[in-house]
Amino acid sequence: METEKKHEVIIVGAGAAGMIAAVALAQQGVDVALLEANDVPGKKILATGNGKCNFTNTFQSEQCYRGQQPGAAMELLKRYDVAYVLRFFEGLGILAKQREGYWYPNSEQAASVREAFALRLFELSVPICVNTHVDQIRKEKNFIIKASCREKLSDGRKTSGKTSGKKTGKPLFSQSREVCFEAEYVVLATGGCAGNVSGADGSGYALAESLGHRVVLPVPALVQLKIGGQAHSAKQAWTQADAGREKRAWQALAGVRTHAKLSLCIEDVDGTRQEHSERGEILFTDYGLSGIPTMQLSRFAARKLAAWGQAKKAQCGKIEVLLDFFPDTSENDLQRMLVSRFQTFPGRTARDALIGLLPSKLNAALLEKAGLLADIAPARQSGKGNDEAARCAEMLARCMKHFAAPVCGTNGFENAQVTAGGVALCELHVQTMESKLVGGLYAIGELADIDGTCGGYNLQWAWMSGLAAAEAICRRKKK
């Protein structure tokens, strides 16, 4: 086996957390090296903030961070707050700007952040071993790290018969060779399973477990929800016809965007209920729901579905989403508004009477859900005049305020922005991110059991945890 040079610190993973830790260490003169499974460092950063890299947020509270110990983020925030992060980025040469509390590079290009980190690491002479996958870590006097290193031969195969020069297919690599590293300190910064990025394989969890750590089951977070039959309900079994009808109704809404209050209602078989709510723009898809409110709540559904998946079917409950399309209007006021509308335009069909209230496809779905005929005026639905108009308004108002559908799952890790779960924080010293079980071992970033909401919080956690580990190592080396 080939043995590489020893280093004081080896960081496994050159993502956001790994790179900031490496820069902070190298600026203090620490001999640090990065091992990265991808062919370039910071690859996942390129997809953050829709390619603009929303790297932190002015507003900070414990509700912005999730996990078994979300308060850990607030502890680190006392030392590495937003102002600290902005100063650090200024030191990298990044001019920042903010929009409604969201901070971006002034270029609004995520590539600027990745390139600034890569350039600073180059200036500090930090070696980055790319295409290097760590397979094993063991602790002797120092840490021994075994890895597989591949040399990249090309970015991809050219498609035969094409003259555009574009490359398709998977990159070509040489056969891997085994390499061995030695270090006094190891920082695990491998990230989780989320994102359609090579290297997001969850291998860091296996490394942490091999060193004695407990891993909270990783599940997709900031991901879309799937709507379907009550696959996880022991109380209410949907027939195949019910499921088919629900599927067709949602497929008809695919592509519709609207603002709403979205509530995720989780009920266990023992009757215990949880409810989590968000407001904002939602997007109907052919499989379910997307949009920021959906993604904010998805981790709760994913976590519960995973727990039920590990249990017997009789121990499962049900999950549903509840949409309120008029969250600032009471149901009674909405009903009165609809009655007035129907009376003002008595000759209009139910479909035409709703024009301008909500997107037309959604209006049609609401009418169907309320059991009303779209091509007949509300007052003539059963020939009872104004009384019938009031009845229609009542049914529609109820549907507009309580549009419910069962949740059968979430999209997978490849569609998720972050992983919920990871190395249990109760086994880490939160102030330093050092292991309580293995001295000199640190776990930072997405690998640890903290996931943030949308808005730059996952990157803020990466910066804080990376800086905490770097500072702790520097202190220990100065003793």
Side-chain angles (χ1 to χ4, degrees):
M1 178 177 293
E2 184 176 345
T3 302
E4 299 289 338
K5 176 185 172 183
K6 295 180 181 179
H7 296 278
E8 292 177 311
V9 182
I10 290 286
I11 298 177
V12 185
M19 288 196 298
I20 199 168
V23 170
L25 286 164
Q27 288 181 158
Q28 295 301 312
V30 177
D31 171 26
V32 57
L34 282 159
L35 308 184
E36 170 56 45
N38 280 306
D39 56 348
V40 293
K43 203 165 187 177
K44 191 174 177 181
I45 289 176
L46 299 177
T48 58
N50 290 322
K52 296 182 179 181
C53 194
N54 168 209
F55 65 87
T56 190
N57 199 301
T58 299
F59 175 76
Q60 296 286 332
S61 79
E62 188 169 324
Q63 286 67 45
C64 300
Y65 300 92
R66 280 92 176 256
Q68 293 186 346
Q69 292 183 231
M74 304 313 293
E75 283 298 309
L76 292 185
L77 196 65
K78 295 175 184 176
R79 304 206 315 270
Y80 311 110
D81 60 9
V82 175
Y84 189 106
V85 170
L86 292 174
R87 288 194 300 272
F88 193 95
F89 270 56
E90 185 178 352
L92 296 174
I94 296 173
L95 177 64
K97 68 178 180 182
Q98 68 96 13
R99 187 183 304 119
E100 297 180 349
Y102 293 65
W103 286 92
Y104 302 85
N106 197 61
S107 64
E108 293 197 8
Q109 292 180 316
S112 300
V113 175
R114 192 201 71 79
E115 290 166 6
F117 270 103
L119 181 60
R120 188 64 183 135
L121 289 166
F122 174 77
E123 292 168 345
L124 293 166
S125 301
V126 175
I128 306 175
C129 302
V130 296
N131 298 318
T132 302
H133 188 279
V134 173
D135 304 313
Q136 184 186 80
I137 301 174
R138 70 178 189 270
K139 177 70 182 290
E140 297 177 357
K141 181 181 177 181
N142 286 331
F143 289 93
I144 306 299
I145 301 103
K146 293 183 179 180
S148 303
C149 182
R150 301 182 299 172
E151 180 183 353
K152 190 173 182 182
L153 301 177
S154 74
D155 289 334
R157 300 179 181 86
K158 285 188 178 180
T159 305
S160 59
K162 300 284 186 178
T163 58
S164 64
K166 292 183 179 180
K167 298 182 179 181
T168 62
K170 294 181 179 179
L172 293 176
F173 292 93
S174 65
Q175 290 186 340
S176 62
R177 59 185 175 90
E178 288 188 314
V179 293
C180 187
F181 299 87
E182 184 176 343
E184 297 174 49
Y185 304 93
V186 165
V187 181
L188 295 178
T190 57
C193 303
N196 191 17
V197 178
S198 59
D201 56 3
S203 59
Y205 303 128
L207 294 174
E209 287 178 325
S210 72
L211 292 162
H213 276 274
R214 180 175 66 87
V215 172
V216 178
L217 181 66
V219 298
L222 298 185
V223 72
Q224 302 83 8
L225 290 174
K226 292 181 178 180
I227 301 300
Q230 297 275 22
H232 292 272
S233 174
K235 290 187 174 181
Q236 179 184 358
W238 275 38
T239 66
Q240 191 171 0
D242 290 330
R245 183 167 56 253
E246 192 74 16
K247 183 178 181 180
R248 289 191 298 273
W250 279 81
Q251 287 177 334
L253 287 169
V256 172
R257 293 178 181 270
T258 191
H259 280 76
K261 176 184 176 183
L262 187 151
S263 298
L264 185 75
C265 307
I266 303 173
E267 183 178 346
D268 276 294
V269 70
D270 62 0
T272 305
R273 286 181 58 87
Q274 303 175 44
E275 185 170 319
H276 308 275
S277 298
E278 292 281 347
R279 290 174 62 157
E281 186 182 70
I282 60 169
L283 169 65
F284 290 89
T285 69
D286 58 357
Y287 57 80
L289 283 172
S290 187
I292 289 178
T294 305
M295 300 179 85
Q296 301 281 48
L297 299 178
S298 60
R299 59 122 37 225
F300 300 109
R303 175 67 64 214
K304 183 58 71 173
L305 289 166
W308 288 343
Q310 293 181 321
K312 296 178 181 178
K313 190 172 183 181
Q315 295 175 303
C316 299
K318 65 177 180 180
I319 303 177
E320 67 176 7
V321 289
L322 194 64
L323 297 172
D324 180 354
F325 300 112
F326 291 91
D328 296 320
T329 305
S330 71
E331 189 170 334
N332 286 337
D333 286 347
L334 183 57
Q335 183 178 337
R336 283 192 287 270
M337 182 269 286
L338 290 169
V339 169
S340 175
R341 194 178 185 89
F342 296 157
Q343 291 174 345
T344 302
F345 307 106
R348 291 187 180 181
T349 64
R351 180 193 296 110
D352 291 344
L354 297 184
I355 288 175
L357 287 185
L358 292 167
S360 57
K361 287 184 179 180
L362 181 55
N363 285 338
L366 288 164
L367 287 169
E368 184 176 355
K369 208 168 185 71
L372 302 178
L373 299 173
D375 294 325
I376 297 177
R380 301 194 186 102
Q381 292 280 325
S382 64
K384 295 183 180 179
N386 289 335
D387 289 341
E388 180 64 7
R391 186 186 72 85
C392 291
E394 180 183 2
M395 295 171 67
L396 271 173
R398 187 180 305 121
C399 289
M400 289 173 172
K401 296 287 289 183
H402 308 281
F403 191 90
V407 174
C408 66
T410 70
N411 276 349
F413 282 112
E414 67 278 5
N415 298 112
Q417 292 184 17
V418 70
T419 304
V423 176
L425 287 182
C426 63
E427 297 178 351
L428 301 175
H429 296 286
V430 172
Q431 292 288 344
T432 64
M433 302 306 291
E434 184 178 11
S435 167
K436 295 178 180 179
L437 310 180
V438 183
L441 176 71
Y442 299 77
I444 62 175
E446 189 179 348
L447 183 68
D449 180 28
I450 287 283
D451 57 288
T453 59
C454 294
Y457 299 104
N458 287 292
L459 281 177
Q460 175 67 23
W461 168 248
W463 314 136
M464 294 190 298
S465 57
L467 289 167
E471 184 181 309
I473 293 170
C474 289
R475 283 199 307 266
R476 288 182 62 174
K477 291 198 63 63
K478 288 178 181 178
K479 288 183 179 179

